[in-house]
Structure formats: C-alpha cells, structure tokens
Amino acid sequence: MSSYDHIPFCTTDSWRIAACAVIAMVICASLPTSVAAVDFVGEVQPIFAQHCVGCHGESKQKSGLRLDIKSEAFKGGDGYGPAVVEGDADASPIIELVTSDDPEMRMPPGNHALSVAEVDVLTRWIREGAVWPDGVDHAKLQDRTDHWSFKPLAPQASRSIDDFIDERLAASGLQMSPPADRGTWLRRVHFDLIGLPPSPDAIDSFQRDQSPDAYQRVVDRLLQSPRYGERWAQHWLDVVRYADTDGFEVNTPRPNAWPYRDYVIDAINRDLSYDQFVREQLAGDAYATNAATGFLVTAAALLPGQIGKDDESIRLARQDSLAEIIINTSEAFLGLSIGCARCHDHKFDAISQRDYYALQAFFAGVQYGERPITNEISSQKKLELESARSQLKRVRGQVDELRNSLGLRATNARLNEETFAPVQAKWVRLTIHDANHHPSLGLIEPCIDELEIFTDEPTPRNVALASEGATVTASGSRISAPHRLEHLNDGKYGNSHSWMSDEKGRGWVMIELAEPMTINRVVWGRDREGKFEDRLATVITLEAASEPDNFQHLAGIELDRLDQWTSLNADDGLLAQQTRIEKSIKRLEQLPMVFAGKFTSPEMTYVLSRGDPEQPLDLVPPAVPAALGDTTLESDSPEQSRRVALAQWIADPGNPLTPRVAVNRIWQGHFGIGIVATPSDFGRSGARPSHPELLDWLAAEFIRSGWSSKHLHRLIVLSKTYRQSSELRADAVAIDGETRLLWRYPTRRLEAESIRDTMLAVSGRLNLTTGGPGFNLFQSHGGLSGFPPVESFTGDGLRRMIYSHKIRMERESVFGAFDCPDAGQSMPRRLQSTTPIQALNLFNSRFTIEQSDAFAMTVKSLTSDDAAEQVDTAFRLALGRRPSADETEWVLPVVRQHGLPTLCRVLFNSNEFLFLP
C-alpha cells in the first residue's frame, strides 16, 4: 500500500478547495497584522503626562512649549515652529527631539529617554493625522487678557483717600495711628515735595499759624517752589535711566543730554498735564518741545566705532538700540515689560512677538544722536543777533569807505591777480603786511597755495615754477605735511600743497627766476580748491628787481599808507571790531543742540525669528499690542506721525494702564512703596495692588483734574493717612509688619540726593542756580581714563545733586553708597540698604568734613559765643527742633573740648537727620 492509501478519497474540486485554503493561510501569515488607530487619550496623553508636562505644562513652559493643551502644543515652542505637523512625523520637531542621538538635544533629558514603543506610538499618531480630540485636556488655557490692570477704570463714587484706607484697615482689625505733631508733618512734607528741610523761620511761622487752612498754604507754597520740580524730576529720571554719558566700556560723554533733564524739571514745575508730558516725550518735535524727546534715547548706547563694520553687527546693534526705546516706553508709561517679547511670545502677559515688532515699527525712524533745538531759541538771543547784524553792517561800511580811501581792493581766497606795465625782473617779492584776520585776535598765519609769475608774451608762461628753474625763499615758513616752502611753486593748487608764514598775519616770499625776463602779471590764491576762506593776505606789496637790492614797487598799497592801515587793525580799530562782531554772530547763529534723537525715513519692520535680525519673517506695520488696543497704521506711514499716533494712544483717557501707572508712582514717592509694589510691572508677574479701589479712584481723579500731578500731591499730603504718626504699634506690626495697610506713616531714609542737598542747605552753602550743563562729581566727563572723584566742591559744585554730570555705571564716591542708581538699569523704586560703607563715607569723607566746618561757621554767624546757644541753633537748623535738656548736657562738653564742627558732623550722621520723620 502506498503512503497515501490512508487519505480519504476526494474529488478534484475538493482538493483544489483545500489547497487554496492552505495557501491562503500561509499568505495571511506572511502579511502585516492589522493595527488599530492610536488612541490619543489612552496612549499619547499618558506619554505627555509622564514624560513632558513637568517641563512643558502649566507651571513652566521651557523653550516656550506646552504639551498639556491642544492649541499650545500645535503652536510649538521658540524657534522650532509647530511641534507637530499632522501626517508628517519626519517634519515634526517633537519626533526629531525624542529620537535625537545628541544627548544635549534629546528629550526628555538625561536618562529618561522614551522607550521604543512610546516613540512608535507618537510616530504613528502623527502619521495618522495627529488627532487630538477637543475637550480632553486636563488643563485650561488661562486668558492672559483677563487681568486687572488691562480692565477699564472702575467707576468711583465721591470719596476720599482716607475712606479707602479706613475700610481696608477695619477689615483687618486695625485703625490709623494718631496724627503726627505739626513740626513732624512740616519736615516730612518739605522733604517729600522739595527734598529740603524747612528753615527755622518756616517752622516758627507754621507753629504760630493755627488757622484751618495753614496746612493747605504750606503745601501750595511748596508746590510753587522751583525746588519741587528738582525733587520730583529725580524720580522720573531714575525710571528712564537718564545719564550724561553713553555707557559701556568707552562711556563717552553726552555733552548735550542735560536739556532733557531741564525739560523734565520745568514740565513738573509748570504742572504740565501728564497726558501732554507723555505726548511730548514721544513726539516733542511735533509739539515745539524738542528737548522732550531725550526720553527716547536716555538708555546706554554703543557708538559707531564700538560696532563691528560688517552688516550683521550693524543690524544687531540697531535692534539693540530699538529694544531700549521699547523698554523705556512700555515700562515707564504702561508698566509692562514688553521687551521680553523680542525673541518669543511673552511668557506671562498677553504680548506676542508680533506685538513687539509692531510696537518697534513706531520707532523705525528714530536714531540715537543730537539734533538742533531749532524752535526754542530765546527771544533775547534773537534780539542780540539782530543787533549784532546791524552793527556789522555799519562797521563793514566804514571799513569799505576807509579801504577805498587807501586805494585797497579786497582779496579773494581762491584767486588774486595783479597786472602792471611790463618790467624786466629776475627777483619778484610778495610782502604780506597783514592778513584778513588780524594776529592780535589770536588767529593763524597767512597762507598761499601757489605764486605764479607770467611773461609778457603772446602766449604767457608761468616762469615762477620750479620746473622752469625758479627758486624760492621766504621770511620764515611753518613746516607741516601740507605746508612747505617748496609748495609755493610746485604747480599744485590747494591747501594740501601750500606755503604758510611762521609769523602771524605777515611775512614775505620771493621768487628768483632762472634768468631775467619781462613780466606783466602775478597771480596767487589761498586755496584754489575752495575749502578755506580765511588766512589770506589782505594787504600786500609786490616788488621786482633785475639786480640785487634794487627793488621797485609794482602793485599793492603805497608804503607810506601802512600806518593808516595798521590803525585799522588796532585792538579798537575797525577791522578788529568787525572780526569781534563776526565771531559774536557766528556764536549766536549756532543753534543749541540736544541729545534727543535724530529722525529719518522709517525702515521696514519684520518679525524676527528668535529675535535674530538675520532671520526676518513677516512684515509688520506700526500697531499697539492687540490685547490693549486696535491702533494700527500703514507700513508706509511718515516717521513723525507714527510716534504721534503711539503717544495719543498711550495718553488717551480710555487707556487704563497710563493713569494707574502714573498715580502709583506719585503714591510711591510719598509712602516709599506704591499701591502696586512693582511700579514698572503691572503685568501678570507683577504685584497685585494693595488697595485696588483706591488706585482706580486716584487714576480717575487724576484724569478728572486734567492730569494734574500737583492736584494729587495736595490730596495725598493733606490726607489723614499721610499725616499719621510713624510710631510702631505692636498689635499692628503683628498683623501688617510691612505697613502695606498704612496703619502708620512708613518712615524711610532720605535718598542720596536729598542727604547731600540738605547738608549743603543747613551749612549755608547750597547754590540754587538752576539748569544748564551739569557740574562734575568726577575729574573726567567720561571715557577710558577712569573716574577719580572730585572731593572738594565750590561754585557750581554746590548746586543740587540733580544738576551733576551723571556718569553712567559709576556711582558717586560718597553718596553712591546710599543706593543712588547709576543709570545702568531703570530704577523705578530705590533700594533701602544699610551698609558699613554708608557710615564710613558720611562720617569721614572730605565732603562731610568741609560741610561740617561750613555749618559751624553758619551757626556762629547767627549766634553769640555762647556754646549752649550754638548747640540750640545747630539742632534747629539740622533737625528742625531744639535739643532736649539731656541732649544739651551731653553735647556741650564735646563742643567745648572738640569744637562746634564736631557736633555738626555728628548731626549729619544722626538717624534723625537721615530719615523722614
């Protein structure tokens, strides 16, 4: 039996069917198994939750990437574009990062790489279209536009500052402290409003005045004082980083930055409405206040020589300079750190990268630099200029009349020619008796580029040339690269090939021809290239000789008239008068300059990938941040109109940020800390207001008053809140140790400027001259030579410290230790540190010792020789009060043994002198 005998009999069709089934099974076994679509919720979301959202979730978003919310995940992070490209895993950065062989790039970092299976899930999910169902996110994207500072001002009923403070205190179980005594309030309000203490006479007058409006009259007097603007301007200059140097390594002086400082002081003294204050600083050239735009360029800046010459370096430096303008504008006026969006969308606030560059477009025509204050020339200066021009016309007429009477003709810097009857000559001498600017006025020597002598021939030849064999001698020659005797007859014109006398205003040159020749014309010029007009011979004589020492007069003034010509040039002569008037006119015609920016045709503005100027993306027109408004201009809008439009939007009463930020700065100036403790950051990362309703009430009142800062000052310093005692209370400290609820007046140390100014004031040396270039705190104005401090001051150096020449990144040697900012960064709120160097500086510096001596002299001039009387007067001047009996007993032996200056020095170092009461 064969081996197949046991197989049951089957028909041919049955066999075929069975064979096909077997083949089909084999084929199916060799084909890929069908796989179900990736379930995002069940497979992908757990991978993100376990490995990714710790760094890319709600609490933080490294590289700007968030993977717990659908919209943010598909948007992607900084510099990579969309993290997921639906249907294309190879083009999706998320796959590139989780599969990278580079340990520095691979995500998750360290030893937490995804498994092969997890990578496969993500890859298949993307290839299948990256389906992420709606409504499955475990987190909710926060609406960043839903922020208190972006919302309109809340309507407020008719209330007072004290109402808000009382309500907040009562809610915390607290109440205000009793009022401070009258003397304490007077000293406090003087320092707050003008930065100087009240005089003994002012104290006595106020103590005698018991009328209901006595406090009001004090405040009105202080607000009318020019010292008020000097005090409050310093707060603003801190914010905008004002300095008189450029900063960085070279720290080059900005000699004309000070007009902006003076503008700020004047605007505050005039109580310029704050909305106009905003407009003028952004677009003062449109409002006839050119110095105001110094605001735009107060930050540090690189000079052209500090920037690489390649185009890439120039473009990067340009972006840096524009960034400083954006930072100043956004932080100072809006209280927002928009500068963070230069490279990516803001991490906290509703400010996109596109918003940043749209804001930059408003400043696309602003350059750092100086420009003339063309429309701010004083009427007095105009009158002086008109008078000088009238005098010049009269004197010139007299000079011309006298010149004609002497037979003189005017000379020309470019070409002069003397013709005469033909004469045989071998030597020709040109003698300069005077130049058109007399040497008695300290002007330079006469100069001639070429002396030419022409023959009397049908085709005249210049036989004075060295190439013709002529030689030249002179009375004396000034030797320098462009000026040499041999240049007189080298055939080359222009100042770069000229002869100059070594004697001011006079001298002679002589050409010796190769052989005697018949000549009839001599030609010369100062500079036939036309670059110079002065230093040309005005009074000359031309002589010729065919034999030595036998010269004859050819042209020029007659020698017997030289005395008359000399009289013209005497110190009080007509020509001397003419020169002095011309100098005066030139000085008066020079327009004053201000470091307030230069304005050019705006460049196109693009969104820059990661802030890189070499990676421009979309063109953007000028526009305000989308979350804050809808002001947008065309991309081809004129330069000035851009800044005007931005200023109008910022200063619009409907913009809630501007008044809130402004009144908060004023409140901070009086209480040491604002209602919002971060005065230049009203964004989501800033502090929330301690009294939000009060902040809005103040902002609304500010607008209602016509944006008057003085109105706010009056409200604040006349309130019960401000007039409280500063005494500590244990019960209140336990609840509100930082005094944020204002259950007392929060005392603080005086700023550096007030300390210095007050030392000068009580010593009787304070110079109250206002405005103009700053006095020197250092022995150099800037540069690389270092900054040795000035230790002893006189004259202008005794002015208020705000009028000093501010060196960026260099603190003043004595008072810099008292947290005086160096203008390297904006200082919206000064620190209040306590360090040993403060005490050492204030006790041992030469400044303190000199002011102590001056203080003692002032006290002695006001008193008799009685030591007790001197002690009493010193206390009154320095501290605004008389000494107690114990104090007098303690200090009298010191004064008698060590002298009055020692007491004065101690008073300068006392807490009562240095702190607000």
Side-chain angles (χ1 to χ4, degrees):
M1 178 181 292
S2 70
S3 59
Y4 297 102
D5 288 346
H6 70 282
I7 297 177
F9 173 82
C10 62
T11 64
T12 302
D13 289 342
S14 298
W15 174 254
R16 289 174 179 166
I17 292 171
C20 287
V22 172
I23 293 169
M25 291 174 65
V26 173
I27 293 173
C28 288
S30 67
L31 291 175
T33 304
S34 176
V35 180
V38 175
D39 177 14
F40 174 80
V41 174
E43 298 178 82
V44 176
Q45 200 168 34
I47 295 174
F48 287 164
Q50 180 180 353
H51 298 286
C52 306
V53 297
C55 295
H56 305 286
E58 184 175 9
S59 60
K60 57 182 175 181
Q61 301 89 41
K62 286 189 174 181
S63 300
L65 177 62
R66 186 169 183 178
L67 290 174
D68 61 340
I69 293 178
K70 178 179 179 180
S71 61
E72 300 305 291
F74 282 98
K75 183 189 300 181
D78 305 335
Y80 284 98
V84 174
V85 179
E86 296 95 329
D88 192 346
D90 293 338
S92 297
I94 194 171
I95 299 300
E96 177 186 354
L97 292 170
V98 299
T99 60
S100 176
D101 293 331
D102 184 350
E104 297 294 326
M105 289 189 62
R106 187 177 60 245
M107 293 291 147
N111 298 320
H112 306 288
L114 298 185
S115 68
V116 173
E118 289 170 328
V119 172
D120 179 64
V121 168
L122 293 181
T123 303
R124 288 189 291 114
W125 172 64
I126 293 173
R127 286 176 178 167
E128 292 170 4
V131 176
W132 186 324
D134 292 333
V136 300
D137 296 346
H138 297 312
K140 183 179 180 182
L141 188 64
Q142 200 169 24
D143 181 5
R144 294 183 178 181
T145 65
D146 184 19
H147 185 57
W148 69 267
S149 67
F150 295 173
K151 294 178 181 178
L153 298 179
Q156 298 290 335
S158 178
R159 306 183 74 188
S160 71
I161 290 172
D162 299 325
D163 292 337
F164 293 100
I165 300 300
D166 280 334
E167 287 178 8
R168 187 75 171 83
L169 287 172
S172 299
L174 296 171
Q175 60 183 5
M176 286 191 194
S177 294
D181 64 75
R182 289 168 63 92
T184 295
W185 176 86
L186 185 68
R187 187 171 175 83
R188 179 187 299 168
V189 78
H190 268 73
F191 278 120
D192 258 5
L193 290 182
I194 66 171
L196 295 169
S199 67
D201 288 344
I203 296 171
D204 292 343
S205 175
F206 180 64
Q207 295 288 17
R208 289 193 301 267
D209 187 356
Q210 297 297 316
S211 61
D213 58 350
Y215 286 85
Q216 174 75 53
R217 281 201 297 274
V218 168
V219 174
D220 288 344
R221 173 176 58 81
L222 295 176
L223 291 176
Q224 290 303 313
S225 168
R227 312 284 82 80
Y228 157 73
E230 294 166 344
R231 161 68 171 167
W232 280 84
Q234 189 63 67
H235 293 307
W236 185 252
L237 298 181
D238 282 359
V239 172
V240 303
R241 300 174 283 175
Y242 169 81
D244 294 285
T245 62
D246 285 311
F248 298 111
E249 292 84 356
V250 178
N251 216 3
T252 304
R254 290 177 178 174
N256 294 309
W258 59 266
Y260 172 70
R261 174 248 289 154
D262 285 0
Y263 160 80
V264 174
I265 294 173
D266 178 66
I268 292 174
N269 273 331
R270 290 187 290 114
D271 199 21
L272 179 68
S273 65
Y274 185 78
D275 59 339
Q276 186 63 16
F277 187 56
V278 171
R279 285 188 283 265
E280 291 182 1
Q281 290 184 87
L282 291 173
D285 49 313
Y287 299 99
T289 52
N290 276 281
T293 58
F295 164 84
L296 297 170
V297 290
T298 54
L302 291 171
L303 297 175
Q306 298 172 268
I307 300 169
K309 301 301 182 184
D310 57 289
D311 292 342
E312 292 83 358
S313 296
I314 293 171
R315 285 190 287 267
L316 178 60
R318 174 63 174 155
Q319 283 299 313
D320 290 343
S321 66
L322 287 168
E324 298 295 357
I325 300 174
I326 293 170
I327 290 170
N328 247 16
T329 302
S330 61
E331 292 185 358
F333 297 131
L334 302 174
L336 293 177
S337 55
I338 291 177
C340 297
R342 177 178 174 180
C343 301
H344 49 72
D345 290 351
H346 201 290
K347 300 295 186 185
F348 305 104
D349 297 329
I351 307 294
S352 68
Q353 191 182 16
R354 184 179 183 87
D355 287 334
Y356 173 90
Y357 288 101
L359 186 63
Q360 176 181 298
F362 284 107
F363 306 110
V366 180
Q367 303 279 345
Y368 277 66
E370 295 183 340
R371 70 176 193 277
I373 309 180
T374 54
N375 49 7
E376 295 174 19
I377 302 176
S378 69
S379 56
Q380 178 62 33
K381 190 171 183 179
K382 291 178 180 178
L383 290 174
E384 291 177 13
L385 187 57
E386 291 174 4
S387 174
R389 286 171 176 165
S390 176
Q391 292 178 43
L392 181 61
K393 183 178 180 181
R394 174 179 55 79
V395 171
R396 278 179 172 170
Q398 293 174 332
V399 169
D400 289 342
E401 182 179 340
L402 197 52
R403 186 192 300 275
N404 292 335
S405 70
L406 293 173
L408 294 174
R409 62 177 177 81
T411 53
N412 189 299
R414 293 179 178 83
L415 187 65
N416 299 275
E417 182 178 298
E418 287 288 353
T419 59
F420 39 84
V423 62
Q424 184 81 3
K426 181 174 174 57
W427 293 273
V428 176
R429 182 168 61 195
L430 179 69
T431 302
I432 301 160
H433 301 283
D434 216 328
N436 61 345
H437 283 165
H438 193 267
S440 67
L441 300 177
L443 297 170
I444 205 163
E445 301 84 351
C447 181
I448 296 175
D449 67 353
E450 194 76 7
L451 182 61
E452 301 172 301
I453 303 170
F454 290 93
T455 59
D456 180 29
E457 298 174 330
T459 304
R461 292 179 296 129
N462 175 18
V463 292
L465 290 168
S467 59
E468 292 285 337
T471 58
V472 61
T473 55
S475 58
S477 304
R478 178 177 172 183
I479 305 301
S480 64
H483 306 302
R484 294 183 179 279
L485 180 59
E486 57 266 29
H487 289 166
L488 191 71
N489 64 337
D490 62 359
K492 297 178 181 179
Y493 300 141
N495 180 67
S496 59
H497 291 80
S498 62
W499 166 83
M500 182 178 286
S501 172
D502 66 351
E503 186 179 2
K504 290 186 179 297
R506 55 182 57 89
W508 58 260
V509 291
M510 184 167 65
I511 301 287
E512 181 179 356
L513 305 180
E515 58 183 352
M517 297 184 186
T518 303
I519 60 172
N520 65 354
R521 182 162 58 99
V522 173
V523 177
W524 78 94
R526 158 69 177 94
D527 180 7
R528 274 171 268 192
E529 291 179 347
K531 296 179 182 178
F532 293 87
E533 293 292 340
D534 59 357
R535 291 174 282 172
L536 178 72
T538 300
V539 180
I540 61 97
T541 52
L542 189 62
E543 301 166 285
S546 58
E547 298 178 359
D549 301 324
N550 189 23
F551 285 89
Q552 61 178 346
H553 180 77
L554 295 179
I557 188 172
E558 296 296 336
L559 297 181
D560 60 359
R561 297 184 182 178
L562 280 176
D563 289 341
Q564 292 177 271
W565 171 256
T566 302
S567 68
L568 278 175
N569 285 326
D571 289 344
D572 58 349
L574 288 175
L575 284 179
Q577 291 180 43
Q578 177 179 320
T579 300
R580 284 195 292 268
I581 296 171
E582 287 171 344
K583 279 188 171 183
S584 177
I585 290 175
K586 187 176 182 179
R587 176 181 54 80
L588 290 168
E589 287 178 337
Q590 288 179 340
L591 295 174
M593 302 292 288
V594 58
F595 191 90
K598 297 183 292 187
F599 307 123
T600 61
S601 179
E603 59 218 22
M604 292 294 102
T605 303
Y606 298 86
V607 175
L608 302 180
S609 177
R610 306 183 78 175
D612 183 358
E614 304 310 307
Q615 300 185 59
L617 301 175
D618 299 335
L619 176 70
V620 290
V624 303
L628 304 178
D630 55 7
T631 297
T632 303
L633 303 181
E634 297 295 328
S635 293
D636 60 352
S637 297
E639 193 285 320
Q640 187 185 81
S641 67
R642 297 178 181 221
R643 290 179 289 111
V644 169
L646 177 63
Q648 295 287 18
W649 172 74
I650 292 177
D652 191 295
N655 186 335
L657 282 167
T658 306
R660 282 183 177 131
V661 170
V663 301
N664 189 67
R665 294 195 194 281
I666 293 175
W667 185 270
Q668 174 182 283
H670 287 296
F671 292 99
I673 187 170
I675 296 172
V676 178
T678 51
S680 287
D681 189 356
F682 275 42
R684 302 179 67 83
S685 59
R688 294 190 64 83
S690 60
H691 298 77
E693 295 85 4
L694 173 58
L695 181 66
D696 275 16
W697 182 84
L698 288 169
E701 183 67 16
F702 191 40
I703 296 172
R704 188 199 65 76
S705 70
W707 302 80
S708 168
S709 297
K710 289 186 177 182
H711 175 70
L712 277 191
H713 288 303
R714 290 188 184 93
L715 291 177
I716 292 171
V717 301
L718 292 173
S719 68
K720 290 193 305 179
T721 302
Y722 182 84
R723 289 167 59 178
Q724 293 180 92
S725 164
S726 60
E727 294 296 320
L728 289 171
R729 303 195 329 253
D731 62 324
V733 170
I735 297 172
D736 178 27
E738 295 183 351
T739 323
R740 294 292 283 129
L741 302 182
L742 295 176
W743 48 268
R744 70 178 183 112
Y745 180 79
T747 187
R748 64 189 186 279
R749 194 189 64 226
L750 297 177
E751 291 92 345
E753 294 85 354
S754 283
I755 297 173
R756 184 184 193 271
D757 295 348
T758 300
M759 291 174 72
L760 291 171
V762 301
S763 66
R765 300 189 73 199
L766 182 61
N767 180 345
L768 294 177
T769 302
T770 62
F775 68 88
N776 294 327
L777 293 172
F778 302 91
Q779 294 177 30
S780 59
H781 270 203
L784 297 170
S785 59
F787 302 98
V790 174
E791 296 183 353
S792 182
F793 295 88
T794 59
D796 282 351
L798 301 175
R799 294 203 290 164
R800 297 197 72 174
M801 195 170 173
I802 195 171
Y803 293 118
S804 65
H805 179 87
K806 180 83 171 180
I807 302 289
R808 200 183 302 274
M809 305 300 292
E810 192 72 27
R811 294 184 186 275
E812 198 275 340
S813 60
V814 176
F815 299 96
F818 290 88
D819 307 303
C820 185
D822 63 6
Q825 299 293 328
S826 173
M827 187 62 70
R829 182 187 173 207
R830 292 198 183 184
L831 302 174
Q832 286 276 303
S833 67
T834 302
T835 66
I837 196 67
Q838 294 168 349
L840 291 171
N841 282 357
L842 203 59
F843 199 78
N844 297 313
S845 69
R846 184 173 177 181
F847 181 87
T848 298
I849 293 171
E850 288 185 351
Q851 305 328 310
S852 299
D853 290 342
F855 185 10
M857 291 178 63
T858 296
V859 170
K860 290 178 180 179
S861 72
L862 298 173
T863 61
S864 66
D865 293 335
D866 180 68
E869 184 185 356
Q870 292 176 353
V871 167
D872 183 82
T873 300
F875 267 75
R876 294 197 70 208
L877 286 171
L879 307 180
R881 65 172 178 83
R882 286 189 159 86
S884 67
D886 287 343
E887 288 171 329
T888 300
E889 183 180 352
W890 295 334
V891 301
L892 273 176
V894 175
V895 171
R896 288 170 177 150
Q897 183 176 355
H898 300 287
L900 186 59
T902 300
L903 170 61
C904 296
R905 193 172 168 192
V906 170
L907 290 174
F908 283 155
N909 282 268
S910 65
N911 278 353
E912 194 171 346
F913 183 85
L914 298 172
F915 281 77
L916 277 175

